[in-house]
Amino acid sequence: MSNYFGLSRRLLAAMLLGAGSAGALAAPAVSRLTPPSELFASGNPNPPYIARFLPGQRFDLQATVRLDAGATLKDFQFSVDGVATRPAPDTTSVVTTGLTLPKDVNAAVVSQRAFSTLKTGVHRLAVRATQSDGQTVTAEGNFEVVALERDGRPAKNIIIMLGDGMGATHRTAARIIGRGYAQGKAKGLLAMDSFPYTGMVMTSSLDAIVTDSSPGMSNYVTGNKSANNQEGVWPDDTADAFDNPRIEYLSEYLHRTQGKALGVVTTADVFDATPASMAVHTSNRGNGTGIVDQFLDDRHLTGLSVLMGGGRKWFLPNGDALKADGSRGGQPMNGSQRDDRTDYVLPADVVAGWKASPGKKDASRDLLADFQSSGFAYAHDGAALKAAMAGQGGPDKLLGLFSYSNMNVAFDKINKRRGESTIVDDYGFPDQPMLDEMTGAALQVLAKNKNGFVAMIEGASIDKQSHLMDTDRWLLEVIEFDRAVQVAKDFAASHPDTIVIVTADHECSGASIIGASTKPVSALREATGAPGVAAQRDAIVGTYQAAKFPKYTMEKDGYPSSTDVDYKMLIGYGANADRYETWLANTTPTQDSQQPFVGKAPLNTYPDNPNVRNAKTGFMITGQVPGDQAVHTATDVPLSAYGRGAHRFSGVMDNTDVFFKLAAIAGSRR
């Protein structure tokens, strides 16, 4: 980014001095100023204001100062509205090594941690830096502190139901299967359809119109734009993934100011982007060891009381994580994938400013034991979860880890319960709870906190199976997620001081309901014997009147008896990679590379990716994107709201707006 004002001043000074050589222009410059702003980036002092905060919300100030060759940084000072900030002791730093800038650039990254202000309105942020020869540079940006508009009584509890990758099509398709249509009218509504207020959310991240899940979630709960792959931080010019400038999360802010607890529930690995973006600060969403450690280590900042999902591989000690030469050792028999290279140690200024745990490179740490010694009851499978909740109203804190990495999807969990499939056995976890069961347990535990809670419940594999264009599997993921939504709605109905929102971090795959098969399912199976466009597209795909209204039979467990029904609904994709399509449910899932034993039998018998899945039985559909997976899109996503303050969620809003609405509903106090 250019320093418009600083560069203009230097050019003017050079002209006044009549300088005729490039050397006369040599002077320090500021190439990055954080929080980000259009005033700094483009010279535009007007809205939109990129960085916005609650009164008293904490955030870091940072600048990258490019120095002349051979010069060093002598001094720096941040100021807000012309008044020098007064940092607490040990909360400032200067970093000159370990930068990601080109080797020929002499630079320093200067920081002040955990700044805040109570004064609302737009503020001017400035940094003034002086290099060793006395030359100075000043750069300016701006940020806004938002005055909260309160109306009515505050909500004690906040429940965020997050269908990862769930766009409008995903919701509609689940309604068609789960409720059915009669002469063009839905026979019933999904739980999320019954929420009284619905708006649309713009989902872009700080650095792209198409977000990934990290900023897709953290933008909701920090009020600020993060860059792709980053969680609760802004970009910087250092290589350390855990020292980036931080923004205080909603969970941290409400725990600090109101004593609220935090609950995080997901069907993914708990280190995954969405759950981590509720509580963890890092510029690399892949640093699993440090991410899960931070969940526990910084629970005093977030109020973490419930953590459930997959991801046991990060909690088990790994005594063979690193060899002396830095290479990875053999795969531990316990499935651990803890690794010093994905762990964290925080710099002193972050520890001092945020009162955060310093961290430690400890691949051999038994994090599971540490959670238990910190008062968390532990459930390793569905039966253990039921047992943990059976006595005396359940535990005060709860950890549930139901697989090594991502949990199996609803399609395979339900078929195991029905005795129709052993897919979950192949992963070694035959008794995994459904998301509605996890949600009920989480809310029961969180409700014990007298000050209320913030909960995030994620249906993670709506996204993961949409990436893989495995239609039947993501359809059941939406149905499973909606059953969890009903649990949250029931809780809010009996606890009227609760706000529930249902939304997505982004849309995935550009899914579209294109119609329905014109043939019974037996004809679809016969067509796999003669794969090709004529047999499997032209003879089968029905659009408009030919699609009619597909009919599915729902079982008592809340899921369809089969997704392979006569005249089944057909889904197309607008952001797809190449795939072979049969229109039939895939017998096995595609390989999940995050599983520690994915290369070993029987998991290695699953198809590698959609490029090869059904290659002998399906017809090739050429994609719009390279690679072997569908991608996220920039399409706006629906957000539905129920409970106290739900009326605020209508119209079109930015994902960062949701943060300020939730804070206002919570009756934010300093």
Side-chain angles (χ1 to χ4, degrees), residues 390-563:
Q392 303 277 316
D396 294 333
K397 297 179 181 179
L398 177 63
L399 173 69
L401 300 171
F402 307 113
S403 64
Y404 282 123
S405 184
N406 302 310
M407 294 176 65
N408 287 109
V409 296
F411 186 98
D412 298 316
K413 290 187 292 187
I414 283 295
N415 283 337
K416 166 65 177 180
R417 293 188 178 194
R418 293 174 177 175
E420 298 172 2
S421 169
T422 58
I423 294 293
V424 296
D425 297 351
D426 292 350
Y427 287 81
F429 295 89
D431 180 22
Q432 298 175 50
M434 306 303 292
L435 184 58
D436 56 321
E437 297 165 350
M438 297 162 67
T439 301
L443 296 180
Q444 183 177 332
V445 172
L446 291 168
K448 299 177 75 173
N449 183 32
K450 64 179 182 179
N451 297 314
F453 60 82
V454 177
M456 192 286 297
I457 317 292
E458 182 195 21
S461 286
I462 302 170
D463 175 75
K464 297 182 188 303
Q465 297 304 313
S466 294
H467 275 297
L468 298 169
M469 298 163 286
D470 193 328
T471 301
D472 300 76
R473 281 183 169 79
W474 69 246
L475 278 165
L476 263 65
E477 287 299 288
V478 182
I479 291 173
E480 180 187 35
F481 177 70
D482 192 63
R483 289 174 60 82
V485 171
Q486 184 64 58
V487 173
K489 182 183 178 183
D490 291 344
F491 179 91
S494 61
H495 298 77
D497 51 358
T498 302
I499 174 66
V500 184
I501 64 170
V502 180
T503 189
D505 45 357
H506 52 75
E507 196 277 341
C508 183
S509 78
S512 296
I513 302 169
I514 57 176
S517 169
T518 60
K519 306 284 187 180
V521 69
S522 59
L524 271 64
R525 295 193 175 104
E526 290 173 6
T528 62
V533 170
Q536 293 183 308
R537 186 191 70 185
D538 299 351
I540 288 174
V541 178
T543 61
Y544 301 108
Q545 294 93 328
K548 298 184 175 58
F549 297 100
K551 292 180 172 60
Y552 295 82
T553 301
M554 301 299 288
E555 298 292 335
K556 291 182 180 179
D557 57 21
Y559 296 86
S561 56
S562 174
T563 54

Side-chain angles (χ1 to χ4, degrees), residues 170 463-470 474 506-511 572-579 610-611 613 623-633:
H170 297 81
D463 175 75
K464 297 182 188 303
Q465 297 304 313
S466 294
H467 275 297
L468 298 169
M469 298 163 286
D470 193 328
W474 69 246
H506 52 75
E507 196 277 341
C508 183
S509 78
Y573 300 93
N576 62 305
D578 296 348
R579 78 182 190 281
N611 287 171
R613 183 185 63 206
Q624 288 78 254
V625 300
D628 55 25
Q629 292 195 9
V631 297
H632 300 171
T633 71

